[in-house]
């Protein structure tokens, strides 16, 4: 059971219809980049809580989450209506193992995200860990439409700080976009486009791959990775890929 503490909304950003970032203040325990908190509202007498990855790095406040409104979902419609000053419940202790803990150093770290899974990587990328462990980091963001490509300012700050060590590859599936690869992340891996763009193979001898977001994407990419000899990473038995399913 979660140990709930009261939080207060500081700011909300509506990127487009149904797509939001929200900032809170709440005295949560320390966390590791890649972990999530639970956010809850009391709805019709029940406390409805859902996990959300933290977007802010551990050393920065306020806390921040990035989410889509699921019209049929119980939590996200009322959550997206909260304005600064509103209160909500936050789990006191962040959780999760989608971190770089125990990951072996290598040449390239690949971070693959669909939709709002971008957020978790923005936390990890703003710590020292990926840059201490890997020579290069490649962030691939797969979305439906061009206006789902958010957090441009944050990505520019990371790119400015890391220069040629950081590569961002947007992939847009439902419309043509001048700055993005077309289709799905899976299509682009199978066609070899991601590796060609980066100039390096996804290979167990040099790569670690993080997969976050849509379960179907994760399932399909896992098969591709395992065919190439990459194995699941566990803290006790280090491997080459790590996953976090949102839906
Ligand atoms: C560890 C973990 C971390 C998560 N972090 C995030 C996060 O940072 N941002 C975020 O938006 N969601 C995240 N989620 C999903 C989130 O917890 C909720 O499920 C989601 O916000 C919808 O809540 P809801 O109560 O409105 O509907 P729910 O009843 O929870 O979900 C209704 C349906 O919506 C779909 N769905 C749920 N989440 C998403 C999503 N993100 N994108 C597309 N479809 C979805 C699923 O098909 C689900 O069956 C995370 C889930 C897990 C397990
Ligand atoms: N994104 C928004 O701005 C927004 C706003 C309001 C509401 N919503 C709601 O949120 C839900 C989903 O939103 P979302 O677009 O963030 O997430 P999503 O459906 O997971 O789609 C994100 C990206 O993942 C791709 N994808 C889906 N299955 C895949 C697979 N098996 N392998 C590889 N890639 C795969 C999608 O491609 P395809 O396009 O080919 O499926 C898309 O490019 C929907 O209910 C939507 O109505 C979203």
């Amino acid at each position: 059971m979660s140990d709930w503490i009261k939080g207060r909304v500081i700011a909300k950003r509506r990127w487009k219809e149904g797509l939001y970032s929200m900032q809170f203040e709440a005295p949560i325990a320390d966390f590791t980049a890649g972990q999530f908190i639970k956010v809850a509202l009391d709805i019709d007498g029940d406390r409805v809580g859902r996990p959300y990855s933290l977007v802010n790095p551990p050393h920065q406040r306020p806390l921040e989450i990035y989410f889509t409104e699921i019209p049929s979902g119980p939590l996200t419609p009322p959550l997206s209506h909260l304005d600064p000053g509103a209160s909500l419940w936050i789990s006191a202790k962040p959780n999760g193992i989608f971190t770089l803990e125990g990951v072996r150093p290598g040449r390239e770290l690949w971070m693959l995200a669909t939709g709002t899974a971008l957020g978790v990587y923005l936390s990890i990328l703003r710590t020292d860990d990926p840059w201490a462990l890997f020579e290069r980091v490649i962030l691939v963001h797969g979305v439906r439409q061009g206006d789902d490509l958010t957090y441009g300012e944050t990505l520019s700050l990371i790119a400015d700080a890391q220069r040629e060590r950081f590569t961002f590859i947007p992939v847009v599936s439902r419309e043509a976009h001048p700055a993005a690869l077309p289709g799905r992340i899976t299509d682009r891996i199978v066609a070899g486009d991601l590796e060609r763009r980066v100039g390096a193979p996804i290979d167990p001898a040099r790569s670690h791959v993080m997969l976050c977001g849509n379960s179907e994407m994760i399932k399909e990419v896992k098969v591709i990775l395992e065919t190439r000899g990459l194995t699941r990473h566990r803290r006790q038995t280090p491997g080459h890929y790590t996953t976090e399913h949102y839906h």
Side-chain angles (χ1 to χ4, degrees):
M1 227 179 61
S2 293
D3 194 3
W4 297 110
I5 53 175
K6 213 165 213 177
R8 194 168 66 87
V9 178
I10 302 285
K12 173 171 74 175
R13 176 160 185 178
R14 179 182 172 281
W15 297 95
K16 63 180 270 191
E17 171 89 45
L19 190 60
Y20 298 90
S21 298
M22 199 172 264
Q23 295 185 328
F24 316 115
E25 60 182 19
I28 64 164
D30 290 346
F31 71 97
T32 304
Q35 290 192 307
F36 61 85
I37 48 169
K38 276 178 136 188
V39 173
L41 292 173
D42 292 336
I43 302 170
D44 298 332
D46 284 327
R47 185 152 300 171
V48 179
R50 294 283 185 268
Y52 293 94
S53 301
L54 287 160
V55 177
N56 57 296
H59 58 276
Q60 267 182 28
R61 293 294 181 273
L63 304 175
E64 181 166 335
I65 63 168
Y66 176 45
F67 65 96
T68 45
E69 180 182 352
I70 308 294
S72 59
L75 183 67
T76 48
L79 183 65
S80 64
H81 280 103
L82 297 184
D83 285 315
S87 56
L88 71 180
W89 297 104
I90 312 271
S91 54
K93 200 178 159 315
N95 241 306
I97 54 169
F98 191 66
T99 67
L100 289 175
E101 201 181 327
V103 167
R104 290 175 298 205
R107 302 277 295 275
E108 291 92 20
L109 173 62
W110 295 80
M111 298 175 152
L112 310 188
T114 56
T116 52
L118 173 73
V120 69
Y121 296 126
L122 298 179
S123 180
I124 298 170
L125 285 164
R126 288 180 286 171
T127 67
D128 294 336
D129 298 345
W131 312 107
L133 286 168
F134 293 90
E135 291 171 19
R136 294 176 68 190
V137 182
I138 302 101
L139 172 62
V140 185
H141 190 198
V143 295
R144 294 182 180 188
Q145 289 163 323
D147 59 3
D148 295 330
L149 294 170
T150 51
Y151 280 100
E153 308 96 326
T154 310
L155 290 167
S156 293
L157 288 174
I158 295 166
D160 289 347
Q162 304 301 339
R163 297 178 179 274
E164 68 282 353
R165 296 184 70 193
F166 178 60
T167 304
F168 174 64
I169 306 179
V171 183
V172 175
S173 56
R174 297 200 184 183
E175 63 183 11
H177 188 276
L181 295 178
R184 292 178 161 185
I185 288 176
T186 37
D187 304 328
R188 302 284 61 88
I189 297 176
V190 170
D193 295 339
L194 296 184
E195 290 155 292
R196 248 190 310 279
R197 170 78 70 94
V198 171
I202 298 176
D203 182 288
R206 58 191 291 158
S207 325
H208 188 89
V209 185
M210 301 182 85
L211 307 168
C212 188
N214 185 303
S215 299
E216 291 303 312
M217 179 279 285
I218 294 172
K219 205 159 71 183
E220 290 172 31
V221 176
K222 255 177 67 175
V223 172
I224 299 170
L225 298 180
E226 289 183 359
T227 307
R228 294 181 180 205
L230 285 82
T231 58
R232 177 184 287 282
H233 172 75
R234 292 187 173 83
R235 270 182 291 186
Q236 307 306 331
T237 49
H240 315 100
Y241 72 84
T242 326
T243 63
E244 178 109 291
H245 298 244
Y246 279 5
H247 62 102

